[in-house]
Amino acid sequence: MKAGEAAASWKLLKQFYPLDSCENFGTAKMGYIPADHNKPFGVFSGTPNGCVDAVPVETGDFADYKLLVFAGYNLAEADDIDRLLAFVHRGGSLLCAWPHLSDTTDHAFLTNHSFHILPHPMTALLSEGEARFVPDTVDGEELLAAENAVSGEILRTTDTGRPLVSVIPHGAGKIVFFNALCYPAHPAVFSVYRETVAALTTRVLDEEPLRVSCGTDVEYTVFRQADGTRHYYFLAVDWYNDSQEPRRAAITLDGASYELSIPFGAPVKLVTDGKSAVWPMRAETEVLSLTDRAFTAQGTETETFFVAREGKISAYMLDFRENSHQKADL
């Protein structure tokens, strides 16, 4: 069955997992790799545009995030929108369109763009009074837009000059709003929505203390720690290429760039405090903590660690044979 507009909006994830092609063969084969698996199969993908979480609205206050992006169908409930509005007020950025603020559940109404918009302080920020929707076009594609939408900082207009994409400030944050009564997959807005996601994501990544550059052969993720450091994990995902050849990634840290070698079949864990970054030569050992003066690690044999700092990479040799935990002064 072909995905409808709401479900198809999850194709936005392909921006972050560009080799994914689950839609071509269905989820039933997600765990299956055919015998002739000497080429990408759409299950694994590198993350050259950064990593992303699919976050349930029940997450809470969203304090771990700077940017939230709506994709497909959701049922807007007042408590959930309260938390989203509080997230924006505290400094977060939220990207959404009118259907994401709807409490409509009837599939026929969703298909026909007959949405009931939830009355809420957030929706009150987006239009002068109750939204009045009228036909409009974007690059010739028909859609419905609110004729009384609040303009804010207009990034893009419809063909008639109405606001299509606007930045609506609220508290310390902003709502990047699509004045369109359709989901992101609608042909009138999909390319613009995707470009907006890319621009907002780039801005968030550029604000990170460490910036990662990689291709579709390397996937990475990051976890923020209570002590302020970040733990990055890198993994080569292109099983169809020569396993003896290391994959490459690069990090930009404190104004300098460094190259990482990613072996096939083993993760690389990197720890950074925003000024230095430390990682081991082999996955059998692990960096546990990092300060501006030292790092600690655990292992069982003699191991080499790399420290990227002040524009150069230095090698540190630690011997774990008598003590599985070691500290190295920087």
Side-chain angles (χ1 to χ4, degrees):
M1 183 175 66
K2 184 178 180 181
E5 182 182 290
S9 296
W10 285 99
K11 291 182 180 180
L12 289 165
L13 286 173
K14 195 172 177 67
Q15 184 164 316
F16 300 95
Y17 303 99
L19 296 186
D20 173 78
S21 57
C22 176
E23 62 183 294
N24 295 337
F25 56 84
T27 56
K29 295 183 178 179
M30 280 296 291
Y32 169 72
I33 298 176
D36 58 342
H37 58 281
N38 59 347
K39 57 184 178 181
F41 185 58
V43 177
F44 305 106
S45 174
T47 51
N49 299 314
C51 51
V52 65
D53 292 335
V55 184
V57 73
E58 295 84 4
T59 292
D61 62 6
F62 309 105
D64 290 336
Y65 298 93
K66 296 180 179 179
L67 170 66
L68 297 176
V69 173
F70 272 103
Y73 172 77
N74 66 284
L75 169 65
E77 296 185 337
D79 289 348
D80 299 332
I81 306 304
D82 285 345
R83 289 197 297 275
L84 289 170
L85 191 57
F87 161 79
V88 173
H89 192 271
R90 289 191 301 270
S93 297
L94 175 69
L95 175 61
C96 61
W98 283 115
H100 300 128
L101 304 174
S102 164
D103 55 10
T104 301
T105 58
D106 190 301
H107 186 267
F109 289 167
L110 298 176
T111 304
N112 294 324
H113 302 112
S114 300
F115 297 95
H116 176 260
I117 305 303
L118 179 73
H120 189 275
M122 180 183 288
T123 56
L125 294 173
L126 306 175
S127 62
E128 301 288 351
E130 183 177 348
R132 301 187 301 273
F133 295 100
V134 295
D136 209 326
T137 58
V138 176
D139 294 334
E141 294 281 355
E142 297 179 353
L143 82 168
L144 294 172
E147 64 177 353
N148 58 331
V150 171
S151 58
E153 177 192 353
I154 299 176
L155 303 181
R156 178 72 185 268
T157 64
T158 67
D159 292 344
T160 64
R162 289 192 180 91
L164 175 65
V165 188
S166 297
V167 178
I168 311 296
H170 178 68
K174 61 187 178 184
I175 302 169
V176 182
F177 186 66
F178 271 66
N179 178 31
L181 198 65
C182 56
Y183 285 101
H186 191 286
V189 300
F190 183 63
S191 62
V192 183
Y193 203 94
R194 183 174 54 193
E195 290 166 3
T196 305
V197 171
L200 293 172
T201 302
T202 298
R203 191 172 304 168
V204 168
L205 291 174
D206 286 345
E207 293 173 353
E208 285 292 293
L210 184 146
R211 187 71 154 92
V212 175
S213 299
C214 64
T216 56
D217 56 347
V218 172
E219 183 174 2
Y220 79 92
T221 190
V222 57
F223 297 92
R224 288 188 287 183
Q225 306 300 307
D227 64 1
T229 62
R230 284 167 166 76
H231 292 188
Y232 285 78
Y233 293 81
F234 299 84
L235 186 68
V237 295
D238 58 331
W239 74 90
Y240 41 83
N241 287 326
D242 185 354
S243 62
Q244 302 303 311
E245 289 294 324
R247 282 63 173 166
R248 303 293 178 185
I251 59 171
T252 301
L253 180 67
D254 200 24
S257 294
Y258 309 90
E259 187 174 276
L260 300 180
S261 177
I262 313 296
F264 185 79
V268 172
K269 176 186 174 183
L270 175 150
V271 176
T272 180
D273 62 356
K275 296 182 179 180
S276 304
V278 186
W279 65 98
M281 177 178 288
R282 299 183 306 124
E284 287 77 8
T285 52
E286 180 184 18
V287 178
L288 299 176
S289 65
L290 171 66
T291 69
D292 59 349
R293 295 186 177 185
F295 70 89
T296 60
Q298 65 179 2
T300 58
E301 302 292 336
T302 301
E303 181 59 278
T304 300
F305 291 81
F306 300 106
V307 177
R309 185 182 177 100
E310 297 179 346
K312 64 180 182 179
I313 296 178
S314 303
Y316 288 71
M317 185 75 72
L318 297 183
D319 190 343
F320 300 96
R321 288 174 293 183
E322 294 185 4
N323 189 335
S324 62
H325 287 69
Q326 294 289 340
K327 177 181 178 181
D329 293 327
L330 298 176

